Amino acid sequence: MLDESLLDAPERLTEADRRGLLRGAAEAGARVRTAARHAAEAGVGNLKPDGRPRAVLIAGPGAAATHAADLLGTLAGAGSPVTRLAPTGVAPAAGALRWELPGWAGSVDLLLIATPDGAEPGLSLLAEQAYRRGCTVVAVAPARSPLNDAVSASRGLFIPMATAPYDHDEPLAGAAPGVLWALLTPLLALLDRTGLLEAPPEAVGKVADRLDLVAERCGPAIVTYSNPAKTLASELADSLPVVWTEGTSAGPAGRRFAAALAELSGTPAVVADLPEALAAHSALLAGRLAAGADPDDFFRDRVEEPAALHARVVLLRDRPIGGLTAAPNARDLALGHDTPISELEPEAGGELETLAELIAITDFAAVYLALASGA
């Protein structure tokens, strides 16, 4: 059950935030600036690549590496395929994970390693394997981690991760807002130098500014009725979020939102891109999860029963209303099945800015839902 009174009690929210999730979301802009400075100090801006890599491979544990690969692949487009190397092992513990390069990987490919830990033996072994194959290796991880030595021995580039003191208070959640931006920002700068995407320093600075603006709008001191993140968290209470995205950049934001809901608050969610979502989820909205569904006997006593779980559509769009859009059909489908719908659309700006705004608002919403539900 969601304790909605907690949402408008900043002191209680702070006390409940044992994992530093709100702080990570609020300081995302500062984390971007620190990560950009670390990348510059590591020499990323002075790199002179011979050309675009044939393929970009990304390895790392958990949600942070998955989301970074998804975002970078979307922004890079078809220029060079971006592939995440999924780990294998018997447990998610650092010592149990192993990564392998695909058989075709070689000297014309780029391996990126992104981890908030840096103590995974499997990643050090991967860096050595990449060196033997001739792959260029770049890693982002905490300074003075074992991975630093392994990458240096492999003649790769190591970029210290932007960390905060509270990162070490509790185990870091892979979907934590600060973790994503600390790992993603140096990789954006790197791939800008290789020509795979456009993320010059001024664009990264605008991302940080946009994240600061979202933090002002969505911070714990802002009351629910004027706070889009708290409003969304309240709307998602006791519901199954059905996340629909429209626009290329909104896809990774929606998939990250679904993953963050599951990891941070224990809320399951389904996600799909428009217009395919209309066919994929039509039966879901028409079934027992529809708001108008009333299973079994209408006259039975429901006083002691928990509220039924019903779907709620969350529409994330990265482009303004107008032109060719499936949004009207999405609204008609949802409302036609008595399913409520929440919509988020960023303010105008560059692709990186609008994507950052969608991620930031949904990050705040996932954190508020986690804290108010006692997760």
Side-chain angles (χ1 to χ4, degrees):
M1 295 293 293
L2 186 77
D3 181 2
E4 293 196 36
S5 66
L6 185 68
L7 294 178
D8 287 327
E11 297 82 4
R12 292 174 60 201
L13 279 171
T14 301
E15 292 174 0
D17 188 22
R18 296 182 300 274
R19 293 179 287 177
L21 298 174
L22 268 180
R23 286 179 293 181
E27 297 173 3
R31 194 78 70 113
V32 167
R33 295 185 184 93
T34 302
R37 186 177 71 250
H38 286 183
E41 291 172 351
V44 170
N46 298 323
L47 295 176
K48 295 180 173 57
D50 294 331
R52 291 186 175 190
R54 177 183 60 178
V56 178
L57 306 171
I58 300 182
T66 301
H67 300 155
D70 193 8
L71 288 162
L72 293 175
T74 298
L75 294 170
S80 289
V82 177
T83 304
R84 180 188 177 235
L85 301 181
T88 58
V90 297
L97 298 175
R98 292 292 182 269
W99 288 262
E100 291 291 337
L101 289 175
W104 48 263
S107 59
V108 293
D109 302 311
L110 172 62
L111 171 65
L112 306 178
I113 300 176
T115 171
D117 188 337
E120 302 90 346
L123 289 177
S124 296
L125 293 173
L126 180 67
E128 296 172 6
Q129 182 185 11
Y131 174 64
R132 294 193 299 270
R133 296 270 200 97
C135 290
T136 301
V137 180
V138 178
V140 182
R144 296 184 297 276
S145 62
L147 184 61
N148 188 348
D149 296 332
V151 171
S152 298
S154 302
R155 298 183 182 179
L157 175 64
F158 182 86
I159 304 172
M161 175 184 168
T163 58
Y166 56 82
D167 284 347
H168 307 290
D169 295 341
E170 295 282 343
L172 282 174
V179 175
L180 173 68
W181 294 110
L183 296 177
L184 179 64
T185 303
L187 301 182
L188 286 172
L190 176 73
L191 295 190
D192 175 71
R193 293 297 298 170
T194 65
L196 286 182
L197 50 81
E198 292 187 10
E202 55 271 20
V204 174
K206 289 181 180 180
V207 167
D209 293 340
R210 183 67 66 98
L211 292 172
D212 287 343
L213 290 174
V214 172
E216 292 176 6
R217 294 171 56 204
C218 300
I222 307 301
V223 295
T224 298
Y225 69 83
S226 59
N227 186 320
K230 287 184 179 179
T231 299
L232 181 57
S234 179
E235 291 171 344
L236 293 180
D238 301 318
S239 71
L240 173 70
V242 180
V243 183
W244 291 346
T245 66
E246 184 173 53
T248 304
S249 298
R255 290 186 285 274
R256 171 173 170 78
F257 186 36
L261 286 172
E263 182 175 356
L264 300 183
S265 68
T267 302
V270 294
V271 60
D273 300 329
L274 291 175
E276 289 86 354
L278 301 180
H281 292 160
S282 178
L284 184 153
L285 298 185
R288 59 186 178 84
L289 292 173
D294 188 16
D296 302 325
D297 182 10
F298 177 81
F299 296 100
R300 75 182 188 278
D301 185 6
R302 293 175 171 81
V303 174
E304 300 299 328
E305 295 183 8
L309 184 68
H310 293 307
R312 184 181 189 97
V313 170
V314 179
L315 177 58
L316 305 182
R317 306 182 67 221
D318 69 352
R319 56 189 174 193
I321 296 175
L324 186 62
T325 173
N329 290 335
R331 297 185 191 103
D332 290 344
L333 177 63
L335 298 177
H337 291 297
D338 296 322
T339 301
I341 183 169
S342 304
E343 297 190 40
L344 285 180
E345 184 178 322
E347 299 292 332
E351 185 178 25
L352 279 175
E353 290 176 79
T354 57
L355 177 56
E357 181 175 336
L358 285 177
I359 291 174
I361 294 177
T362 52
D363 275 353
F364 266 107
V367 170
Y368 285 128
L369 189 60
L371 297 180
S373 61

